[in-house]
Each structure stands twice: as structure tokens, then as C-alpha cells.
Amino acid sequence: MLSLVRLCRFQFLLCQFWKLHATVAVMSVDLGSEWMKVAIVKPGVPMEIALNKESRRKTPVAVCLKENERLFGDNALGMSVKNPKFVYRHLQSLLGKKHDNPQVAIYQKRFPEHKLVKDEIRGTVLFRNSEEMEYSPEELLGMVLNYSRALAQDFAEQPIKDAVITVPAFFNQAERRAVLQAAQMAGVKVLQLINDNTAVALNYGVFRRKDINSTAQNIMFYDMGSGSTTATIVTYQTVKTKESGTQPQLQIRGVGFDRSLGGFEMELRLRDHLAKLFNEQKKTPKDVRENHRAMAKLLKEAQRLKTVLSANADFMAQVEGLMEDIDFKAKVTRVEFEDLCADLFEKVPGPVHEALSSAEMSLDEIEQVILVGGATRVPKVQEVLLKAVGKEELGKNINADEAGAMGAVYQAAALSKAFKVKPFLVREAAVFPIQVEFTRETEEEDGSKSLKHNKRVLFQRMAPYPQRKVITFNRYTDDFAFYINYGDLSFLSEDDLSVFGSFNLTTVQLSGVGSSFQKHIDAESKGIKAHFNMDESGVLLLDRVKLGNTISSLFGGGSSEPSTNVTEPVQVTLSLPHNETWSCGVHPEAGKEQEEQGQKEEAANQEEKLEPQETPPQEEEAAPTQEKTEGEPVDTKADPQVGARFRWLLHQIWDASGLSYLTDRDLEKHEREKTLNSLEAFIFETQDKMYQEEYQAVVSEEEKEEITAKLSEASAWLDEEGYSATTKELREKLQELRKLCKAVFFRVEERKKWPDRLVALDNMLNQSSFFLRGARSIPEDDQIFTDVELKTLEKVINETTTWKNDTVAEQEKRSPTERPVLLSKDIEAKLSLLDREVNYLLNKAKFAKPKAKPKNNSTTTPPKSSSKANSSQTEDKVIPPEETKDQEEPPIKEPAGQNTDSSSPSQLEDETATTGMFFIATTLLCVND
């Protein structure tokens, strides 16, 4: 009993284990401006690209919102030709942008069918879908991310929530936060935002781990996608770590980019060229460029044209019914295409030079230049790039489309606690410098007062992250403010600066500083420390702000050492651009946990000292220091007078319930369509079945008339009212028809199952009888089965045979239109009973030990010839079983001179025992087969 309980517990724990591991899959989304690739990892399935519903490995980043219909991917892209104003794509360029950003004007020019309006609350841009509905780019991207998760879940066949999402390396803080907000609205837990160039580099390194050693290898990845181009210099090298010994590492050394250089701009120029050619044909007085649907058709043809011209010198572009049922056809050559994009091709070397400059390297130090991104397939791009880098050839030894998704999903598996992967260290780099600025009133030697502006660089250009930094404000004794801004961006072009957005990240206002100092007027100030953290996603956080005082002993005889540090709560207010609302305030519950985590990280990481940049010359009041453990606040919940813990929290302005509502509406719509299709299919198929021979054989005329009438009635109802019916009404109608036809379908299905089931039962009866005969032929001394066991089997065989014969006879007397008495489930039950009884005896036979035979103590010496014969029988003779009565002479004959007609009783017993065991062995083989 105890062992049974333990077994049940073990089975329960095993089930819980598999239940746990059935939902540990993670995903990655390589989020491009035009396409996205989704990859998954789950137990038993290594990194793999998730196919979409069209079985394609990449999906358009597009969403169609028309009335109550919402489409994604290829379906949405197909609608862009019919109703372009309801299809939203290339959303990446609008993330985190104010309405007056030049990038918004560029988007409006490219897609004039959309109406872009200003979000009066945030100052950003909104798509006006109708008079009632407006959507932000983040909301639309959230819909796309939710769809990507659905694709991953369908492919993985289990729920997925954790994801790593790629973003361009040049995304600033506002753009990164916009992606995180979109993911939050989609219900996706972002393990990390990984730069797309880093994801590609990780994928490259993972599959070349053996080639990485202590010697640094510098590789440049040139990625030209649909919307932008990025050149990245990566150094691969093995390094020693405390946790896992020597491991490979990639470090981002240099990044150069061009936000406007990509394949989509080439397609737009081809589109405009085709529009010009159509207008020149003068088949209609109207300008095709004013027709949004026609321009959408030309853009689709331009995309195909760009691909074809990459492999051919010329191609005939053609669009049926371009406008007013007028067909368009025109020949375009590769030379014309290259002339249209000549200025774009001139910009190809730009990201390479920027990457080299930021890495402080020369081309001679770059071992290889590897192509990534679909637009690098354009021959002219490769030609110009090859000339610019001065290499013999360009590397094409990586999947240009899927490397980002595969690298990101490897990182997702590494970050997930459910998987164990080989360590591969990744050192990201901050593309844009960030600094802290503040102003303080100072007193000159002549007694005059002046304001001095001070700067502290938090993160320099290409500084590695994740990383923590701390700034100490030493000379402030009253409330003050400081500003977190981007640093020197002079390396950006004028176009990049114009679309960059606000240079100010936030303004931090500290209050309560003066009152705190007044409470501890005799205390030695240790300054006000602001702790910053740039996390794995490249997002800057103001982790906490602390005011530390040290109170010396004021009584004689006391210790000369300072007493316990005292930290006071400080109220922090933050003001961000875009009217985003942030706060930094006391968070007691999270305080202790974050405090412990901060101390661990501080002990493990030596943070670099912040070098001042003085404008005018810097004074001592804001001297930067390394983060130390002294003066740390304790849990404010335990003692609110001793310390406070601060955390930077984002209050979402968007209501995620709107996205949830749209998702629920899509599910309801899908369920209704599924039910409607099932009802239509049932009506059509059942009407056809009423004329099939196998159904006509079992249905009576009354049943047929009733079923046919109900089917016709339901069909008419569908034509008149069904297409506006609710899901519940459709489901009820389907259930009503199924109930009506249930008896007829049951009779047909039973008659289909009879032949195979009866044959199986006959075979089982024959094998069981065969086994029983063999078991009973075993001599009593060697018998391994009890009489009760054999009689039980015999009883089951007899009862089953009688039941089969009687039931088959009874069924033959019945009309085919009546409910059958011979049921397949009963036959299966009889089969199961026989199988159980035979298997019980077979298992017993497998583990039975042969009985020891008593030794022959007779002292009588047999005749010499007889002794010789018996010896021969013992050593050489093998008597096979007699399977049939008319068996021929045995294959091994008796020795000459031996009387074979007069066998001894012991010989007969041996033969009988062998025969019985042969039956059992044969039955075992039959069952195993």
C-alpha cells in the first residue's frame, strides 16, 4: 500500500514537471520596418523560425483596420491595394516622435492616404482611422506584436509570454520606450530589447564558437534593410570570467548608420518612375499620382521590379486595371533603376566610415565585411560597398534575413530560467552619449554672485552597457534641480539631428533637501547621490536618490569614529518631453529587494569614475564618485525616519484595455466565422450523404424526408437571416441539425467498423485458444499456471464466443434502419478482456523459473548399448513439438539399433513438456509482434 502511494505521488510530480515544462517556450521578434521574423525555443525544439499562417518565414509589419475587421501580415498587405487608407505599415519611423518632427512629414508624403493628427496630451502623432477612432503608432505596433505572439504560440503549440525584441542600434531613449510600451499593451514580457546588429553578431558567433580564441577578431556587419542602414564593428575574443571560466565574448566597438538609406526608398523611386511612365502614355487625362489605390498598385509592382532587376538587366513592369480599367505596361532597365537611386548609392559608404570613426579603427584592422539585410542583394550596393571597404570580396556566409531573429532567440533562451545554453558574453554599446547638467549659484572673490553651468558625462559614446553610474552633489544644501540630457551629438548629420527629437531626457526636481539638512545641522554631509542604471535594453533609469549625513559623537569619552549613517527621504519630481508622466518616489515594498540587488551589483561591478566637462570650469560641489555601500538607506517600511528608496516609474497614458478589446473582438469574429463555416459545411455534406448508398441503406423514408426538410429550412435561413446571426444562434442551429442526424450517422459508422472489429475478435479468440491448448499440454511437474487461471481463461473464451455468435445472429435479424445491437464498443470491450487475461498469463510465463528435477538414484547398470543410446539422446537429440497429428518423421532420427517404436515414459513426458512450452513461446512471439 505504501509503495502504491509513493508511486501515485511520483506520477503526480512527474505530471506537474511536464506541465511546468510545457509552457516554458520563449520567442524572439526581429522587428524590421517592413518585415518581421519570429523565432521560438521550446523543450525538444532548438532555435527555429516560426512559420506564419501562409507557411512563410517572414511576415509583413502591417495591420488593416476597416470597420469591424482587423487583418495582419500578408492579408493586411493584400488589402493595401484595395483600401490603402486602412492599412498601416512602416510604423517604426514614427515611434517616439512628436507631431512636428520632420520624420512625420516624410511619412505623410510617402503615405498621403493617411490622416495624421496631433495627440494633444503627449504632443505625438495619431492616425485618424475614422471620426471616432484614432490610433497611436505604439498601439498599432502593439497589435502587430500581439499577432507575432499568436504566430509563435500556434507554431510552438503552447502559450508564450517572454520575448526578446530587436530594435535598430540608433534608437534613442524615446524610441526604445515606445517599443516597450507597445509590447506591454500586447501582453508581451520583454526580456530584453537587443540591438538588431548585436543579434546578428551573436548568431554569427554562436555558430563559430570554435574559431574564437584569445586573439581579437574584428568583423564588420553591413546591414541594409528596408528603412535604414547600419554598419557595425564587432570584436570577438575569449575572456576569463569568475562564474564560468574562459568564454567567448562579442563587443560592439563601432556603429555607423543612415536612417533614410534602405530598400524602401528605392522602391518609392521606382514607384514614382512607373507613375511618370503611365502619365506619359496619356491613356487618361487624370494624374495617376492622385489616385491612392493606383499608387498602391504601382508600389507593389515596384517592389517586385526591384527584386527582378537585381538578377536581370531589364524587365517589363505591368499592372492590370491600374486605373479606370486601364492596363499598364512599361519596360524598365537596371541602368534606369541605378540612375534613379544614384544619390542613394553614393551614401552607401557613409555608415562604414562612421563605424570606423566611432571604433577608432582603420579598414586594415577589419578582417571581413559581412552582408546582412535584404537590400544588400542589389548589385549596385555590393559594387559600391566592395570598392569602399577595399576587400577582395564581401562575406555572404550568413542568412541575411534570419540572422537577427536567430541571434535574438538564442539570447531569449539564455535569459530564460527554463533553458541552459552555452555562455556567450555580449557587451552592447550606447550609440548616444548621455550627461547630467545642473546650475549653481556661486560667490566670487569680490563678493559678487554668478550662475555656473556644470556638466557630468554619464555614458560616453560607445560606452558598454548594462552599467550603473552614480553622481554625488556635494555642495547643495537646499532644494535644486538637475537635467539629464544627451551629450555631444556633433557626429550626427543635420538630417539625423532634425529627426532625433528632444535632447532633454528629463528634468529632476529634488525637494526636501533643505529641511533634511536643518534636521541634522550638526551632521557631516556626504552629499546627495543620484544612482543611474542603463539596463540590458539600453534604457536609462534613475534608480534612486539618496541624501547621506554622518553624525559625529558630541559626548566625551565616546568613540572618535562616526556613528551610523543617516539618510533622509527626498521628494523627486521628473518632467519629461512628449508630456510623458514619470515619477521618482518612495517605494517601500520594492525598496528592500532593490537595495539588496543594488548592493550585490555594486560589490560585483567597479563603476568607472565620471570625468567632468566644465562649462565654465567645474567646481568641487558635484565631484563624481564611484558607487559605495556606505550611507545606504535601509527598508523604509521598517523605519521611515532612517531612509527612503526611490524608483523611476512610468505611468502609461495609453489604455491597454482598448487593445485587449480589439483582440477579444477578433477572437469573437474568428469564432463566428468558424461556426458559420461548420454550419454551411454540415448542411451541404449531409444533403449529399442522403443520396449515398451507405446512408440510403440505413435511413428510412420518414427519416430521410424529415432530415432533408430540416436541411433545406436551415439553408434558407442562412441565406435570409443567418449571415447576421450571432455565434450563439449559429451554434444552436448546428447542434439542432446534428441531433436530428445523430441516429443515422451512428448506424452508418457502426456498420463501417464491424468488419475490422469482428476480424480482430476472431483472431484474438484463435490465439487465446491456441495459447490455452499449449498451456494445458505442459506436464504437471513443469506447470506454471494454476487450474483456476486456465479455467478462467477458458470461461472468457467460451463466453466471448457465445456472445459473438448470438449477437451477430441477432443483428442479422434486425432491419438496417433500426438501432444495431452489435456495437463496436462492445466488441472492443470483449477484445480488451481477452487481451488482459492472456497477457496476465504471458507475463507470468516470462518470469517463471523452471522447477528443479529430482536426481535418478537407481544403481541398476543398464545395458552397454542402451547406455550409449541414452547418452546420445541426452547430448544430441532435440525433439521438436508435434504441431499436427499427421506430422512426418522427426528431423533428427534415433541412432541405429535403437527401437524407436517403444519410447520410455520419461521421453514422452519430455516431449509433452517441450510441446507445451513451444505453444507458449509461439504465443509470446505472436503477441509481441
Side-chain angles (χ1 to χ4, degrees), residues 422-636:
K422 292 182 178 180
F424 202 110
L425 307 180
V426 177
R427 296 193 70 189
E428 289 267 25
V431 176
F432 307 114
I434 296 176
Q435 63 190 17
V436 172
E437 300 182 28
F438 53 94
T439 302
R440 184 180 180 276
E441 186 180 86
T442 60
E443 186 174 346
E444 303 294 340
E445 294 180 357
D446 58 0
S448 62
K449 295 183 178 181
S450 63
L451 294 177
K452 291 188 177 181
H453 191 71
N454 306 276
K455 293 181 180 180
R456 284 289 184 275
V457 176
L458 271 178
F459 297 95
Q460 297 181 356
R461 184 186 179 191
M462 303 311 299
Y465 69 83
Q467 188 178 172
R468 292 178 179 272
K469 294 290 183 70
V470 60
I471 285 186
T472 303
F473 300 93
N474 287 325
R475 294 204 172 184
Y476 279 99
T477 58
D478 205 347
D479 300 352
F480 68 100
F482 62 88
Y483 310 90
I484 304 175
N485 300 328
Y486 288 104
D488 181 14
L489 300 178
S490 59
F491 61 90
L492 295 178
S493 66
E494 292 184 5
D495 291 339
D496 287 335
L497 285 172
S498 66
V499 301
F500 188 83
S502 174
F503 294 162
N504 173 248
L505 289 172
T506 185
T507 299
V508 182
Q509 179 67 49
L510 301 180
S511 57
V513 177
S515 60
S516 178
F517 274 104
Q518 289 297 324
K519 287 176 61 177
H520 304 284
I521 193 169
D522 296 327
E524 178 186 352
S525 172
K526 282 198 168 185
I528 301 168
K529 295 183 178 181
H531 296 253
F532 297 89
N533 174 30
M534 182 170 285
D535 64 14
E536 293 82 356
S537 297
V539 176
L540 180 65
L541 302 172
L542 176 56
D543 195 42
R544 60 194 183 275
V545 177
K546 301 183 302 180
L547 172 61
N549 293 326
T550 302
I551 304 176
S552 301
S553 174
L554 303 179
F555 301 96
S559 171
S560 60
E561 295 183 1
S563 63
T564 305
N565 297 321
V566 177
T567 56
E568 286 290 338
V570 179
Q571 182 62 38
V572 184
T573 304
L574 299 99
S575 175
L576 277 78
H578 299 174
N579 291 323
E580 296 174 358
T581 304
W582 297 70
S583 70
C584 186
V586 178
H587 197 294
E589 295 298 330
K592 189 172 183 179
E593 179 182 351
Q594 290 232 342
E595 183 68 28
E596 293 174 353
Q597 180 65 23
Q599 290 180 0
K600 290 179 181 178
E601 292 174 352
E602 290 163 15
N605 301 324
Q606 291 292 328
E607 299 181 352
E608 83 178 43
K609 188 175 180 180
L610 307 181
E611 296 296 334
Q613 291 183 356
E614 304 174 359
T615 312
Q618 180 64 42
E619 296 186 350
E620 295 180 358
E621 63 268 12
T625 62
Q626 293 184 356
E627 188 169 326
K628 299 180 181 179
T629 57
E630 63 181 32
E632 290 290 330
V634 298
D635 188 3
T636 59

